[in-house]
């Protein structure tokens, strides 16, 4: 099956948002002013040594794996060091899983809409992507059962908590139903979980990975630490870990030794939970500022998500507007968003768009939304 | 075509060489005591900023690409910034090329023997690997012409200078012939070039990439800087660069922002050529020490390479010994090497083995070779 190299329209678009005068709601970028620059500087200084400059084991730094395992266990997902593979960002985890588990032509089931770089990854692997219907509580287990019956997928990809792009969270009851379906039908599930620590209200639901051995859990340092380090981890069942390690070795031998050692030094010396609380306090205000500005930004009849956490608000405009056609007008007004269509595996709803609220301050958000209003309403 | 996850026997074996009392000639590791730890510490400190902790363009850090382009140009391979994609080590470049250019079932032509993690990478892509005969001057162009005629490969993989595992260098004349074959038959060529700066005698031949637009050139910071940063680059024709960038984005979004910024800071502030001269002076002595010890280490009738550069001496023992069966005995004597068989795409010569001479001091090399002698001669 020939693969597709369609690229990402969003990628091309983001290139245009690099002008400093643009207020961008487009990229899913953490707030740079909240990075713990001095903490990370000290960590890199401590970590730098002959050992951290040398080749290292493919599985990852033993200290970092122990610290991550401990952190996941404390957050309710019991994890031992051998369960973990350090990855070059959680994006790499997706590619490793796909290479390890899928033959070309395999079927992958996804939420509709879903993370677009995951869609790209499945396309490059020559997979056939089948969307599964859902609502504001996430994927519908009955719709998944239907797709399993009809399409026999080998893999299900989910962002169950504060999904990209919708901000939706899969309810605890549906998690249990989906885990049971995975067990019953021998379906592999990727639980992509970069956002769950960024919770601004409500109580967490248990990770899918606590409910089934068919779940591969991908975590990341990008949203709670810093994305520039490209550090993620994959928690995977023992039955496929060796295969994943072989694929990782062919992919890049191992993740940066120095970045892993610095992350381990940082986690030992700092209270990441306290840092996450700081992030949550700031991001909560930013979400509120963006949601509060929406009624005066979008036309009557528009709908939007009011997410309990994460980075994104998902907007549906009224009528049969194509948000892709509005982006030029937005950039002329020095403001940017992401049109919704590329997040759909099939039959896009072109009246949708994604707004990221974490990158800009509340004042910038207010100004950006003022600039957006005439784009949507004229 | 079902893919193979055979893994690397060498990988499993290297796990056994981690005991500190083992003198290992196995891994292709640079000498850690020659890393410029303080230079890199300063570079990381300079590079650390809000910008270097954030997401970054997939193509790579603009400063680093400019510095690498300038360095390649000065070394005789004219290169502009848009020709370069920064990769997470040059290992990643192989995976990107394979994903971008090959369909499952495609034919890849390789030297015999060749770099084993390249073989793994082609196997995972579902490629069929066809070896091409050569001699001490590298791949035989007539044998390649034959393979092109018979097997219609889409890709040729070569380490033309100080090859892994043999230490051999492809002569200038053969380079021109192979480049002409690639042009004539529309064959893509990967020129994997991590070792060429580590030259201890003789004059360099021009890079294959200077001779044909069908050549993708992979370079690395691992052997001249430090492998722990996982920094490499791919110089590729414009016609396929966009496709490579899309594949890279799906693979890990981009390479570590901080490692790239630190490498750029290092290259601006230091004379890498002077550092490479220091490495070459030390490695030359180590090669000489290992080659000088060989006559008293291996049985009469053994043959070995005496490489002009790089990291490896390739040994062929007399008789029909299988060097794989000797590794346990070596480890019992606290010394390690790599058996040759895994480096062969087909019909291995099991009497071969690879000795790396860069990791250990001359005194350690002498002691290690004393330990090896009874392994080979009893």
């Amino acid at each position: 099956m020939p693969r597709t190299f369609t690229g990402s329209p969003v990628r091309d678009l983001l290139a245009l948002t690099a002008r400093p005068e643009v207020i961008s709601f487009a990229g899913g970028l953490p707030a740079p002013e909240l990075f713990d620059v001095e903490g990370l500087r000290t960590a890199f200084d401590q970590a730098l040594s002959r050992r951290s400059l040398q080749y290292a084991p493919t599985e990852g730094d033993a200290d970092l794996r122990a610290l991550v395992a401990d952190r996941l266990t404390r957050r309710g997902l019991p994890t031992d060091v051998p369960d973990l593979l350090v990855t070059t960002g959680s994006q790499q985890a997706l590619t490793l899983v796909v290479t390890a588990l899928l033959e070309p032509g395999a079927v992958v089931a996804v939420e509709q809409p879903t993370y677009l770089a995951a869609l790209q990854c499945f396309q490059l692997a020559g997979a056939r992507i089948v969307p599964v219907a859902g609502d504001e509580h996430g994927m519908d287990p009955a719709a998944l059962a239907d797709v399993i019956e009809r399409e026999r997928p080998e893999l299900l990809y989910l962002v169950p908590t504060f999904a990209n792009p919708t901000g939706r969270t899969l309810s605890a009851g549906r998690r249990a139903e989906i885990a049971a379906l995975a067990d019953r039908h021998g379906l592999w599930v990727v639980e992509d979980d970069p956002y769950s620590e960024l919770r601004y209200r409500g109580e967490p639901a248990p990770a899918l990975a606590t409910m089934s051995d068919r779940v591969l859990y991908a975590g990341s340092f990008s949203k709670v630490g810093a994305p520039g380090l490209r550090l993620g981890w994959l928690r995977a069942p023992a039955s496929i870990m060796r295969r994943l390690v072989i694929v990782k070795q062919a992919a890049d031998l191992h993740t940066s030794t120095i970045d892993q050692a610095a992350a381990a030094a940082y986690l030992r010396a700092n209270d990441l939970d306290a840092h996450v609380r700081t992030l949550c306090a700031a991001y909560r205000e930013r979400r509120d500022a963006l949601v509060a500005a929406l009624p005066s930004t979008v036309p009557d009849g528009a709908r939007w998500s009011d997410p309990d956490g994460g980075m994104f608000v998902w907007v549906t405009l009224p009528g049969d507007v194509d948000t892709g056609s509005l982006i030029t007008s937005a950039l002329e007004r020095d403001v940017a968003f992401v049109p919704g269509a590329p997040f759909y595996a099939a039959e896009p709803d072109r009246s949708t768009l994604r707004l990221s609220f974490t990158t800009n301050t509340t004042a910038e958000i207010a100004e950006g939304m003022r600039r957006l209003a005439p784009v949507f309403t004229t």
Side-chain angles (χ1 to χ4, degrees), chain A:
Chain A
M1 165 178 285
R3 285 154 307 147
T4 329
F5 297 96
T6 44
S8 155
V10 175
R11 205 186 108 67
D12 297 339
L13 187 151
L14 282 177
L16 300 173
T17 69
R19 284 186 292 130
E21 60 273 27
V22 172
I23 294 179
S24 178
F25 300 114
L29 276 63
E33 74 276 14
L34 300 177
F35 291 149
D36 182 1
V37 177
E38 290 317 309
L40 285 163
R41 183 188 303 283
T42 305
F44 270 94
D45 191 59
Q46 282 175 359
L48 213 125
S49 70
R50 302 201 182 282
R51 184 158 170 271
S52 68
L53 294 172
Q54 188 58 285
Y55 285 113
T58 301
E59 290 84 347
D61 180 282
D63 287 350
L64 180 62
R65 291 162 81 207
L67 287 156
V68 170
D70 181 53
R71 196 171 161 76
L72 289 175
T73 302
R74 279 187 288 117
R75 300 191 71 242
L77 180 57
T79 304
D80 294 320
V81 171
D83 305 332
L84 287 176
L85 174 64
V86 174
T87 59
T88 306
S90 62
Q91 180 70 36
Q92 187 184 50
L94 300 185
T95 309
L96 299 182
V97 169
V98 162
T99 309
L101 296 182
L102 301 185
E103 298 293 329
V107 174
V108 177
V110 299
E111 292 164 277
Q112 169 96 314
T114 193
Y115 174 46
L116 66 85
L119 293 177
Q120 275 190 290
C121 181
F122 303 140
Q123 280 160 1
L124 284 173
R128 194 158 62 81
I129 305 173
V130 177
V132 181
D135 57 27
E136 67 275 24
H137 304 296
M139 181 174 282
D140 175 6
L144 175 61
D146 246 32
V147 164
I148 290 173
E149 184 70 28
R150 207 175 59 237
E151 306 277 1
R152 305 280 165 205
E154 293 180 39
L155 187 79
L156 167 66
Y157 171 76
L158 278 174
V159 187
T161 307
F162 315 140
N164 183 356
T166 61
R168 288 173 191 157
T169 294
L170 188 66
S171 67
R174 288 189 178 183
R175 286 174 194 233
E177 288 181 72
I178 288 174
L181 282 169
D183 281 342
R184 192 173 323 135
H185 296 280
L187 181 70
W188 290 111
V189 180
V190 173
E191 178 174 24
D192 193 0
D193 192 38
Y195 309 115
S196 67
E197 296 202 55
L198 301 177
R199 175 176 285 279
Y200 319 131
R201 72 162 88 88
E203 288 305 313
L208 269 167
T210 62
M211 301 172 174
S212 164
D213 290 340
R214 302 291 301 182
V215 178
L216 295 90
Y217 176 95
S220 173
F221 198 61
S222 292
K223 308 304 191 287
V224 295
L229 276 68
R230 309 305 307 117
L231 277 183
W233 42 86
L234 184 62
R235 178 186 179 278
S239 61
I240 54 170
M241 184 52 93
R242 186 179 155 80
R243 190 186 282 208
L244 288 163
V245 171
I246 289 165
V247 173
K248 164 78 177 164
Q249 189 182 31
D252 62 5
L253 298 184
H254 61 80
T255 294
S256 166
T257 322
I258 173 72
D259 291 5
Q260 291 187 72
Y266 184 86
L267 288 171
R268 265 194 306 268
N270 296 275
D271 181 354
L272 185 57
D273 291 339
H275 181 64
V276 170
R277 282 193 295 274
T278 307
L279 294 178
C280 286
Y283 290 167
R284 181 185 295 116
E285 282 186 7
R286 294 174 186 202
R287 176 204 59 189
D288 291 345
L290 192 134
V291 169
L294 271 164
S296 55
T297 308
V298 294
D300 285 349
R303 290 168 292 126
W304 55 86
S305 62
D306 179 7
D308 293 340
M311 307 176 77
F312 307 114
V313 168
W314 184 244
V315 180
T316 307
L317 296 182
D320 68 345
V321 60
D322 179 350
T323 57
S325 70
L326 303 178
I327 191 68
T328 311
S329 151
L331 287 169
E332 281 167 9
R333 289 172 165 83
D334 292 336
V335 62
F337 62 87
V338 188
F343 296 97
Y344 287 80
E347 297 162 33
D349 178 348
R350 295 186 187 280
S351 69
T352 55
L353 64 117
R354 192 190 75 178
L355 298 173
S356 169
F357 56 78
T358 55
T359 319
N360 300 296
T361 63
T362 53
E364 288 163 342
I365 287 170
E367 171 58 23
M369 295 298 271
R370 268 190 296 275
R371 293 182 193 172
L372 265 182
V375 175
F376 293 148
T377 52
T378 56

